[in-house]
C-alpha cells in the first residue's frame, strides 16, 4: 500500500509511521500542510495513494482514484463537511477518519482552564497586589465564584463534550447539551434546535464546540445572544466562523455577557485593531486548545492504530464518513 | 448567651446571625478585624462573651473568663496554633472551631485553576496572537500539556486536600499526600516526614496547603527544593511563611522549578521591587483563594450551624481544639 501524507510530522513521528506500516511505504508530500487552516498545493504523488493521511485539499482527494481511506490529522473537518463531498465519498466507498481521540482531552482541559481562570478571576487577580482587607481585595474576593452548582450548556456533542462531561463531573454542575439529532445515549439532558431557547436562557456557562459547516455559520448570532442569561460567560473552542463576532462584541459591551473566552476567531489571528482584541472581558488564545506535548507522535500513533484496523478490516476509530 | 464578634460582617450576614441566634444576643466589636492577617485591638465587650466568633487576639480570648466556644471565621488559625494556647484551651474546656468547610471548595478550585492555567500556558497564550503554523504557534501548542497521567504531591492533608482529591479524580493523576501523622484513611498513599523525599522527587506538581506554625516555617527550603523533580511546578495556597522565598527565587532562576503559582506570600502584599514580582515564571494572586460570592453570608450560615450544635451539645463541625 502507498500511504501519502502531507502532514508536517516531526522526525520521530515519521520514524514511528515508517516502522509501523512497513512493508507498506510512506510517501511524504514535498509541500506539507502546516495546519488544518492552511491549504497545501496539489501533489503528484497524492494521485497514486491508497491511503492519505493529513489535510489534503478536497479536489486532490477526489482525483486519487486508488484511494481507500482518508485519515485527517485534525479533529475539525470543515473542508470535507459538505453534502457534495459526503456523497462522492459514499459513492466510492471511501472511509474517512479524523483525529478526535488525539484532541478531545487537551481541548476539554483547555475549556476547563478557561472556566476556572474566569471563575477565579485570574486575569485581574494575577495583576493585582491588593492588600488584605482593602476595598480592591474585598471586591476581588467577592468577585470570585465557584463552578459548583452552576449550569452549563454545551453546544455540539462530540468527543470533546464527552471528555468535558467527565472533567466537570466532580463539580456538581447542571449540564445540558445541544446537538442536531439527540440520540438519547448522551447521559445528560440533550436538546435539538427547537428546544434550545430554554437551556440557553438558564446557562451560566455556554460552551461552543460546534464544527464549522453550512448549518453552523454564525450559529451564535444576535438573536441567540439575546436569549442568553444576563451575565453568562461564553466560550468557543470550536470554529470562529460559528460566531457572529459583531453581535458578540455588542453583547460584551452591553454587559449581557460577563465575558467571552475564545480559542478560535474569524480570521485567525484577528487583524490589528480588531475590536475584540480591545474588549476588556474578551480573552483569546491563538487556536491552541488541542496542543499537547509530543502532539506529532500522538497523531502518528493514532494513525497507526487505525492503520491496523484498516489492514484487518476491523472497525475504525473516529470514523466520520 | 452573649455572642461577641469582631468579624467584618455584611449587613445581611448580621441579620442572618441575629435572627439565627435569637433570643441570644450578638455584640459586635467596635473595631472589626478585616482579615485573618490583621490584629484588632482589645474590646471591653469581649471580656464578658460566652461565645466569640471572628479573629480575636489570643490575649483577649484568654481574658474572657466566661468563654465556652471560640469560632474562627477563617480556615487558617496560625495565631492560636501554639502549644501554650492549646494547653490553656484544653485546661479551660474551651471548644475551638474554624471555617474550613466554607473555604475548602473555593481554595481547591483556586489551586486547580492555577494547575490548568499553567498546563494550558494561559499567561503566555492570552497575550499571543501567533498565526497558525508559525514557529511561535507551534512552540505554544507543544508547550501545552495535559494534567492527565501526571503526578501530584499534596503537602498538608486537611479539608482543602480532600476537596482537591475529588476535583482531580477525573484526571487520572497519580496523587500522594504528606501529613505529619498519616492516619491510613486518606484514600491515597500518604507519607510522613521521613518518607517525603521519595514522592518529592517524583511529583510534576507540588501543592503546598500547609498551615503556618512553628513546625512549618520555611518548610519549603533549599534542601527540599533541591529534592524536587527538575521542571516541577510549585503551588502555594497555604501560608507564605512556609516557604523560604529566597530559595524559591533561586530554584526558579536556575530552572529547577518550571514555575511557581502563589496565592500567599510573606509579607502580603510583597513590597515593590521584591524579586518574586519580577520572576517571569512566578504567578501571584493576592490571597483570594478562599474568596467566593456571598462569603460573609456563607460564613454566617456556617457559624449558625455550629451554634445549633453548641446549644444541643452535639458534635461541632470543623472543630480544631
Amino acid at each position: 500500500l502507498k500511504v501519502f501524507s502531507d502532514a508536517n510530522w516531526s522526525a520521530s513521528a515519521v520514524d514511528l509511521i515508517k516502522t509501523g506500516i512497513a512493508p507498506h511505504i510512506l510517501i511524504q508530500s514535498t509541500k506539507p500542510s502546516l495546519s488544518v487552516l492552511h491549504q497545501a498545493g496539489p501533489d503528484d504523488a497524492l494521485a497514486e495513494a491508497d491511503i492519505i493521511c493529513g489535510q489534503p485539499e478536497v479536489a486532490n482527494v477526489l482525483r486519487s482514484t486508488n484511494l481507500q481511506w482518508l485519515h485527517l490529522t485534525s479533529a475539525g473537518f470543515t473542508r470535507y463537511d459538505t453534502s457534495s463531498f459526503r456523497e462522492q465519498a459514499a459513492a466510492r466507498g471511501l472511509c474517512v477518519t479524523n483525529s478526535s481521540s488525539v484532541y478531545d482531552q487537551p481541548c476539554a482541559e483547555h475549556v476547563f482552564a478557561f472556566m476556572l481562570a474566569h471563575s477565579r478571576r485570574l486575569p485581574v487577580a494575577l495583576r493585582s497586589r491588593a492588600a488584605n482587607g482593602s476595598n480592591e481585595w474585598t471586591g476581588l474576593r467577592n468577585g470570585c465564584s465557584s463552578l459548583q452548582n452552576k449550569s452549563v450548556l454545551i453546544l455540539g456533542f462530540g468527543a470533546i463534550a464527552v471528555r468535558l462531561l467527565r472533567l466537570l463531573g466532580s463539580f456538581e454542575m447542571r449540564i445540558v447539551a445541544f446537538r442536531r439529532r439527540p440520540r438519547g445515549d448522551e447521559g445528560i439532558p440533550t436538546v435539538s434546535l427547537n428546544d434550545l431557547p430554554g437551556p440557553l436562557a438558564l446557562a451560566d456557562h455556554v460552551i461552543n464546540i460546534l464544527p464549522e459547516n453550512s448549518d453552523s455559520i454564525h450559529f451564535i448570532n444576535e438573536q441567540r445572544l439575546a436569549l442568553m442569561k444576563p451575565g453568562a460567560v461564553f466560550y468557543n473552542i470550536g470554529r470562529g466562523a460559528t460566531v457572529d463576532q459583531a453581535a458578540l462584541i455588542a453583547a460584551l459591551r452591553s454587559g449581557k455577557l460577563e465575558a467571552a473566552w475564545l480559542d478560535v476567531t474569524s480570521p485567525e489571528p484577528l487583524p490589528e485593531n480588531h475590536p475584540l482584541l480591545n474588549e476588556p472581558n474578551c480573552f483569546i488564545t491563538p487556536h491552541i486548545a488541542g496542543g499537547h506535548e509530543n502532539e506529532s507522535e500522538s497523531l502518528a500513533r493514532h494513525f497507526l492504530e487505525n492503520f491496523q484496523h484498516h489492514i484487518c478490516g476491523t472497525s475504525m476509530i473516529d470514523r466520520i464518513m
Side-chain angles (χ1 to χ4, degrees), chain A:
Chain A
L1 293 174
K2 286 180 184 164
V3 178
F4 173 87
S5 180
D6 67 351
N8 190 25
W9 299 107
S10 69
S12 65
V14 169
D15 286 345
L16 274 175
I17 295 174
K18 284 186 174 169
T19 311
I21 66 172
H24 306 289
I25 58 166
L26 175 68
I27 303 161
Q28 286 185 267
S29 171
T30 51
K31 305 161 206 145
S33 170
L34 290 174
S35 89
V36 61
L37 303 179
H38 284 69
Q39 303 260 340
D43 205 309
D44 290 341
L46 190 147
E48 297 177 5
D50 301 290
I51 296 168
I52 299 177
C53 171
Q55 302 288 340
E57 285 182 43
V58 165
N60 294 333
V61 172
L62 296 175
R63 220 173 283 138
S64 285
T65 47
N66 298 335
L67 194 64
Q68 303 163 11
W69 167 36
L70 167 63
H71 180 76
L72 307 175
T73 48
S74 61
F77 53 101
T78 305
R79 70 175 72 148
Y80 317 97
D81 196 6
T82 62
S83 50
S84 155
F85 184 81
R86 285 181 183 274
E87 279 161 22
Q88 291 182 75
R92 294 168 53 159
L94 179 65
C95 167
V96 183
T97 54
N98 73 359
S99 295
S100 281
S101 308
V102 172
Y103 292 114
D104 53 3
Q105 180 75 19
C107 285
E109 291 191 29
H110 203 78
V111 73
F112 202 12
F114 277 177
M115 295 173 79
L116 279 164
H118 181 79
S119 65
R120 303 310 305 172
R121 293 287 184 268
L122 292 192
V124 175
L126 289 170
R127 287 195 309 264
S128 168
R129 293 181 51 233
N132 273 265
S134 66
N135 286 342
E136 179 190 342
W137 182 77
T138 306
L140 200 49
R141 275 186 80 101
N142 293 342
C144 285
S145 59
S146 170
L147 292 184
Q148 219 179 10
N149 300 316
K150 298 295 190 303
S151 63
V152 178
L153 171 64
I154 301 177
L155 303 172
F157 196 92
I160 297 170
V162 171
R163 289 281 169 159
L164 189 55
L165 279 183
R166 200 160 77 185
L167 300 188
L168 293 177
S170 49
F171 279 83
E172 299 159 36
M173 305 184 85
R174 297 182 300 281
I175 312 179
V176 174
F178 155 76
R179 76 190 304 183
R180 296 269 156 206
R181 285 172 289 277
R183 295 201 303 218
D185 63 354
E186 290 85 2
I188 51 166
T190 302
V191 299
S192 62
L193 202 56
N194 282 343
D195 294 322
L196 186 55
L200 211 46
L202 281 176
D204 300 300
H205 301 271
V206 177
I207 301 170
N208 180 10
I209 324 180
L210 292 172
E212 177 186 337
N213 55 42
S214 57
D215 285 337
S216 67
I217 301 288
H218 285 202
F219 186 87
I220 297 298
N221 55 18
E222 192 185 339
Q223 290 71 31
R224 292 211 170 92
L225 285 162
L227 288 173
M228 290 186 197
K229 181 173 178 172
V233 186
F234 175 72
Y235 306 85
N236 193 6
I237 56 160
R239 285 288 179 262
T242 64
V243 175
D244 177 344
Q245 293 180 162
L248 179 64
I249 291 163
L252 286 166
R253 289 188 181 163
S254 73
K256 173 75 178 184
L257 288 183
E258 186 171 273
W261 290 76
L262 314 175
D263 187 55
V264 288
T265 55
S266 180
E268 290 176 11
L270 292 172
E272 291 278 358
N273 302 322
H274 189 284
L276 272 182
L277 295 175
N278 295 314
E279 274 305 303
N281 295 319
C282 185
F283 305 94
I284 305 176
T285 55
H287 201 143
I288 59 162
H292 55 281
E293 312 118 302
N294 306 318
E295 181 177 341
S296 202
E297 290 78 359
S298 56
L299 281 170
R301 272 188 287 268
H302 180 249
F303 168 73
L304 289 173
E305 202 174 342
N306 256 343
F307 188 82
Q308 282 300 117
H309 286 298
H310 180 71
I311 294 290
C312 300
T314 44
S315 186
M316 305 289 275
I317 302 162
D318 293 335
R319 181 163 186 170
I320 52 175
M321 293 178 207

